[in-house]
């Protein structure tokens, strides 16, 4: 009878190791899962030789550690450029043909490759040629509405001609302005003259009831802005450092102010919380006081009130006089109060007279005994 070891020996699947024998032991049953995990984790790892570049080593072995192919193959893995997928349709013909740019006014002709189907069409980049619509005025309109003592008509015409040529780029217009033939003007003066004429023409040519979009230019504000910029750029390093120091101090002051405000808010919250707790306690005490006297009145036996004088009861700490207890003029009649005062005065007078007689008698006795 053949065993598992004989079969492995015939098929050359295992050697003579004790682990490959056909006898099933206790270790095989207990450590069966561990053996499987060890077999699965034990894989061959190839280390890149020292001095070999990564790209060269990647040509020898791939991620799956396969052997390099004998013939070049087209795979989706790795770095490669997308190739053009050519169809079976007929290629569209191209032709070397002339063209002209509508943005140019000199009639220059150029040549380029273009599809035969697009022959005769306009230049495709001509749609990017955007021009500014500069208004045109007549001689009569200038004399009636646009006349200015500081500007002549020739100077105004020269300005508008430059505005059309350079698309309202006033820095270029100021550079190309004829300062020899005309007065020397600044950029703000040129802008102010142009926009004032545009605003007047818009008011004249507008129909009543329509929404006017009148351009406005504040030359004074523009001049002040440029003066401030010149002052800003002409600062010395000491002034810049001083300004940075002041800004830092201002930030510190603002942070301290925020901290104080936060502390004040926290303190206000604590005060309001304490007020609410005290009010709640007072309300609870009032409620208990209202309930307790009713119970005491029910528990105490009813005692008939005796007619007479009611003396006030002093419950405060400290020394009090008996005369204070008798100070109750509201309860006692005024005449009875006067009589009581007189009576107490007579009694006190007789008492003091008696004391004087006793002292006189004692002194006489002492004198007789001494003599």
């Amino acid at each position: 009878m053949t065993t598992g070891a004989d079969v492995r020996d015939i098929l050359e699947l295992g050697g003579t190791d004790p682990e490959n024998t056909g006898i099933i032991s206790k270790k095989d049953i207990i450590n069966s899962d561990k053996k499987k995990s060890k077999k699965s984790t034990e894989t061959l790892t190839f280390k890149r030789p020292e001095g070999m570049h990564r790209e060269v080593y990647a040509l020898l072995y791939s991620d799956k550690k396969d052997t390099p192919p004998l013939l070049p193959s087209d795979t989706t893995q790795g770095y490669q450029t997308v190739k053009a997928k050519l169809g079976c349709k007929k290629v569209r013909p191209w032709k070397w043909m002339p063209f002209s740019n509508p943005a140019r006014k000199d009639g220059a002709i150029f040549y380029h490759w273009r599809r035969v189907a697009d022959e005769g069409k306009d230049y495709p980049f001509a749609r990017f040629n955007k021009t500014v619509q500069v208004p045109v005025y007549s001689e009569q309109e200038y004399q009636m509405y646009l006349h200015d003592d500081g500007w002549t008509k020739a100077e105004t015409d020269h300005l508008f001609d430059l505005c059309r040529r350079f698309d309202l780029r006033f820095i270029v217009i100021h550079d190309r302005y004829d300062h020899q033939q005309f007065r020397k003007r600044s950029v703000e003066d040129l802008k102010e003259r142009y926009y004032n004429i545009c605003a007047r023409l818009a008011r004249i040519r507008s129909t009543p009831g329509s929404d006017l979009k009148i351009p406005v230019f504040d030359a004074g504000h523009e001049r002040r802005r440029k003066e401030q910029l010149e002052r800003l750029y002409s600062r010395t390093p000491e002034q810049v450092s001083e300004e940075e120091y002041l800004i830092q101090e201002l930030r510190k002051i603002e942070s301290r102010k925020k901290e104080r405000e936060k502390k004040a808010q926290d303190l206000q919250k604590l005060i309001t919380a304490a007020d609410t707790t005290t009010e709640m306690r007072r309300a609870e005490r009032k409620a208990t006081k209202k309930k307790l006297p009713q119970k005491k009145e029910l528990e105490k036996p009813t005692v008939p009130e005796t007619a007479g004088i009611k003396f006030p009861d002093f419950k405060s700490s400290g020394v009090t006089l008996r005369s204070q207890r008798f100070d109750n003029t509201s309860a006692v009649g005024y005449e009875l109060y006067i009589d009581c005062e007189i009576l107490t005065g007579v009694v006190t007078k007789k008492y003091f007279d008696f004391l004087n007689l006793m002292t006189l008698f004692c002194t006489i006795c002492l004198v007789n005994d001494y003599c």
Side-chain angles (χ1 to χ4, degrees), residues 62-329:
S62 62
D63 296 336
K64 296 180 180 180
K65 309 304 178 187
D66 297 331
T67 56
L70 298 175
L71 296 173
S73 60
D74 188 8
T75 58
T76 57
Q77 296 179 357
Y79 299 99
Q80 63 178 6
T81 56
V82 180
K83 295 181 179 180
K85 295 181 180 180
L86 302 176
C88 299
K89 295 182 180 179
K90 189 177 180 181
V91 179
R92 292 173 293 183
W94 289 70
K95 185 179 178 181
W96 181 259
M97 58 180 67
F99 74 97
S100 61
N101 191 352
R104 298 175 65 99
K105 297 180 181 179
D106 55 355
I109 297 173
F110 305 96
Y111 292 86
H112 65 167
W113 286 100
R114 203 169 184 182
R115 295 194 185 99
V116 177
D118 297 337
E119 189 176 0
K121 292 183 179 179
D122 294 333
Y123 184 57
F125 293 97
R127 64 178 182 272
F128 297 109
N129 182 29
K130 303 296 181 182
T131 58
V132 181
Q133 298 295 328
V134 179
V136 180
Y137 53 86
S138 61
E139 182 71 24
Q140 186 178 0
E141 287 177 342
Y142 182 85
Q143 295 297 333
M144 291 178 65
Y145 306 107
L146 308 178
H147 178 70
D148 192 356
D149 295 335
W151 288 76
T152 61
K153 188 177 184 303
E155 193 173 4
T156 306
D157 294 340
H158 179 61
L159 172 63
F160 272 72
D161 183 28
L162 292 175
C163 290
R164 292 187 194 93
R165 286 173 58 190
F166 301 110
D167 292 334
L168 299 182
R169 296 180 180 90
F170 283 97
I171 303 299
V172 183
I173 292 169
H174 180 263
D175 184 66
R176 298 293 191 274
Y177 196 80
D178 193 356
H179 296 285
Q180 296 178 358
Q181 185 179 358
F182 305 107
R183 291 173 56 184
K184 191 173 183 179
R185 305 281 185 178
S186 63
V187 179
E188 290 77 20
D189 295 336
L190 300 177
K191 285 185 179 180
E192 187 177 14
R193 178 60 174 167
Y194 173 78
Y195 286 112
N196 285 338
I197 291 175
C198 291
R200 291 178 186 176
L201 291 175
R203 291 192 191 96
I204 294 165
R205 297 172 182 177
S206 64
T207 57
S210 61
D211 295 333
L212 289 176
K213 294 181 179 180
I214 299 172
V216 179
F217 177 73
D218 191 356
H221 175 74
E222 187 70 14
R223 291 189 186 95
R224 290 192 297 272
R225 185 183 69 83
K226 288 189 176 182
E227 288 177 1
Q228 291 174 359
L229 285 175
E230 288 178 358
R231 291 177 184 175
L232 182 65
Y233 290 133
S234 61
R235 292 180 301 170
T236 59
E238 291 80 9
Q239 292 175 347
V240 174
S241 61
E242 184 180 0
E243 185 177 356
E244 290 177 353
Y245 173 74
L246 293 175
I247 289 170
Q248 291 177 359
E249 291 295 326
L250 178 62
R251 288 175 181 172
K252 290 179 182 178
I253 292 168
E254 289 178 352
S255 64
R256 291 170 188 168
K257 184 179 178 182
K258 288 180 181 179
E259 289 178 359
R260 287 197 298 270
E261 289 176 354
K262 188 177 180 182
K263 289 180 180 178
Q265 290 177 359
D266 296 338
L267 184 61
Q268 188 65 29
K269 287 179 182 179
L270 292 173
I271 293 168
T272 51
D275 292 339
T276 52
T277 52
T278 51
E279 288 177 358
M280 291 172 65
R281 288 176 182 175
R282 286 176 184 173
E284 290 176 357
R285 288 176 183 175
K286 286 180 180 179
T288 52
K289 285 180 180 179
K290 286 180 181 178
K291 292 178 181 179
L292 289 173
Q294 294 176 359
K295 293 180 181 179
K296 288 180 180 179
E297 287 175 0
L298 294 173
E299 292 174 359
K300 286 182 179 180
T302 56
V303 179
E305 293 183 357
T306 58
I309 301 170
K310 292 182 181 179
F311 296 98
D313 188 10
F314 292 93
K315 295 181 180 179
S316 61
S317 62
V319 181
T320 58
L321 299 174
R322 291 184 178 180
S323 60
Q324 292 179 0
R325 298 179 66 184
F326 192 70
D327 191 8
N328 196 358
T329 56

Side-chain angles (χ1 to χ4, degrees), residues 8-62:
R8 289 192 183 91
D9 192 13
I10 295 167
L11 297 176
E12 296 179 356
L13 296 175
T16 59
D17 297 333
E19 295 179 357
N20 295 329
T21 58
I23 302 169
I24 299 172
S25 63
K26 186 178 180 181
K27 292 181 180 180
D28 296 334
I29 296 170
I30 295 171
N31 299 324
S32 61
D33 297 333
K34 293 182 179 180
K35 288 181 180 179
K36 290 179 181 177
S37 62
K38 285 180 181 178
K39 288 180 181 179
S40 60
T41 54
E42 288 178 359
T43 55
L44 295 173
T45 56
F46 297 94
K47 189 176 181 181
R48 179 165 59 88
E50 294 182 0
M52 183 181 287
H53 292 283
R54 179 175 58 84
E55 291 79 5
V56 178
Y57 182 71
L59 294 174
L60 297 176
Y61 296 99
S62 62

